[in-house]
Amino acid sequence: MTDDIKTDNQQDFKTLLKDYYVDMPNEDDLVKCNVISVDKGAVRLDINGVAVGVVRGRELFSESREYADLKAGDEVEATVLELENENGELEMSFRVAGYKRAWDNMKKWMDEGLTVKSRVVAANKGGLMIQVEALAAFMPVSQLSPEHYPRVSGGDKNRILEKLKEMIGKSFEVKVIDVNEKEEKLIVSEKAVWEDSQKAVLESYKIGDEVEGEVSALTSFGAFIKFGTNLEGLVHISEIAWRRIDHPRDVLKSGDKITAQIIQLDGSKIYLSIKRLIADPWKMVKDKFK
């Protein structure tokens, strides 16, 4: 081998070595790579053609659907944990990239008003802890749909908590209504989904309309009446009867068939009156008494 050929070979090797180290990622780097194989609970990745990485165990981030069905050739993002493991591979993780993408999705879904599936994982007196994709979210009691809202006489917080705990494990369709990645705060609403479904139905009603329905629940402040196509309105205690009553159960009971008048429409909230369909006895006082 001549000196010129040796010099050229040495120069080529130096160039390759330089390019190799330029392309090699460092620990904590987030890199784009391609899936080589998915086998036995491990995903192997090609990193820029210069190294092989492996993602395994909890770092597979199975909580995210975007990493659940990977196949050879798919492009993914992963974070470098170690530059060399026991097999000489880069130890990598989908978790950091996965969480970032999950938060980005939440912002997008909130902006676009999309409905997403979720699962209840825990409950406290204020509401429900919800799993949405890979993230933990909170749904305040006020954001439950009428179907799931815990109506408890006297507002007993312990009984409310009991009813909320009954929902653990159930799946809900929800909308994202507040996203704060920095504070890791994610708020969702089932009521927002229900409101959307009721808009078209509510448009066929107006103030003054009479509706026929059934008493679905009684509380200290009023009676809930189901009517129409899965609609529900509130008759405040002051709108039940012309006389003073201490509790709606003094006049009504669950299952009673009643006729009421719509007196207010406020978004998805419907307010009804029973007494306005009955003659006001106070107007006849002057005829009965001098």
Side-chain angles (χ1 to χ4, degrees):
M1 186 179 291
T2 65
D3 290 341
D4 288 342
I5 293 175
K6 286 181 180 179
T7 301
D8 288 341
N9 286 341
Q10 288 173 350
Q11 186 62 39
D12 289 343
F13 180 74
K14 286 180 180 179
T15 301
L16 288 171
L17 195 62
K18 181 181 178 182
D19 291 342
Y20 171 82
Y21 283 112
V22 167
D23 291 336
M24 277 295 289
N26 297 310
E27 286 188 9
D28 298 326
D29 280 357
L30 180 63
V31 295
K32 286 186 178 180
C33 36
N34 293 95
V35 176
I36 298 173
S37 66
V38 181
D39 186 41
K40 296 179 181 177
V43 177
R44 283 182 165 75
L45 307 169
D46 170 45
I47 294 92
N48 299 325
V50 297
V52 173
V54 62
V55 182
R56 51 190 175 177
R58 67 188 296 272
E59 302 304 330
L60 286 168
F61 199 55
S62 57
E63 300 96 325
S64 174
R65 63 180 177 182
E66 293 175 343
Y67 291 99
D69 300 307
L70 293 176
K71 59 185 182 298
D74 286 349
E75 184 178 84
V76 293
E77 287 186 321
T79 306
V80 180
L81 301 180
E82 297 178 31
L83 292 178
E84 188 173 353
N85 62 16
E86 71 276 8
N87 298 318
E89 302 167 317
L90 275 73
E91 197 74 29
M92 306 188 75
S93 171
F94 289 143
R95 297 184 75 81
V96 174
Y99 274 119
K100 176 61 179 171
R101 183 165 294 181
W103 281 106
D104 289 345
N105 282 341
M106 296 303 154
K107 293 173 186 173
K108 177 183 176 184
W109 295 339
M110 181 178 69
D111 292 341
E112 296 180 358
L114 298 181
T115 298
V116 296
K117 289 183 178 180
S118 67
R119 184 173 61 87
V120 181
V121 295
N124 60 35
K125 291 180 180 178
L128 300 171
M129 271 62 76
I130 307 284
Q131 184 80 24
V132 184
E133 293 292 315
L135 300 178
F138 182 66
M139 180 156 62
V141 175
S142 61
Q143 293 303 320
L144 283 163
S145 70
E147 179 185 355
H148 295 123
Y149 190 87
R151 300 187 183 102
V152 174
S153 181
D156 187 321
K157 291 186 177 180
N158 291 324
R159 287 193 60 201
I160 290 174
L161 180 57
E162 288 175 11
K163 287 186 173 291
L164 291 176
K165 284 183 176 179
E166 292 173 3
M167 300 180 199
I168 294 174
K170 290 185 177 181
S171 296
F172 287 158
E173 295 279 335
V174 300
K175 281 192 172 189
V176 179
I177 59 173
D178 190 15
V179 179
N180 189 324
E181 183 179 357
K182 186 177 180 180
E183 296 181 8
E184 295 188 352
K185 184 176 78 171
L186 181 63
I187 308 297
V188 298
S189 170
E190 183 198 23
K191 186 173 76 171
V193 178
W194 176 82
E195 287 176 344
D196 277 354
S197 69
Q198 298 304 305
K199 281 180 181 177
V201 180
L202 282 173
E203 286 175 358
S204 63
Y205 291 91
K206 63 183 183 299
I207 293 173
D209 284 352
E210 293 183 21
V211 297
E212 293 184 355
E214 180 180 308
V215 177
S216 56
L218 297 171
T219 69
S220 59
F221 56 84
F224 288 92
I225 311 297
K226 282 190 174 180
F227 67 95
T229 308
N230 297 321
L231 292 175
E232 190 170 52
L234 172 67
V235 181
H236 189 268
I237 189 171
S238 62
E239 292 291 336
I240 292 176
W242 287 107
R243 63 184 175 84
R244 176 183 171 81
I245 57 175
D246 295 323
H247 195 284
R249 63 171 170 260
D250 296 341
V251 179
L252 302 169
K253 63 180 182 296
S254 292
D256 280 354
K257 306 293 184 183
I258 62 97
T259 301
Q261 184 181 65
I262 296 175
I263 58 174
Q264 185 179 348
L265 293 170
D266 182 9
S268 64
K269 296 177 181 178
I270 307 168
Y271 296 96
L272 305 170
S273 175
I274 297 173
K275 75 177 188 181
R276 298 194 193 188
L277 295 178
I278 304 168
D280 182 353
W282 293 102
K283 290 183 178 179
M284 295 182 287
V285 168
K286 67 178 185 304
D287 297 327
K288 288 187 174 183
F289 303 99
K290 294 183 181 179

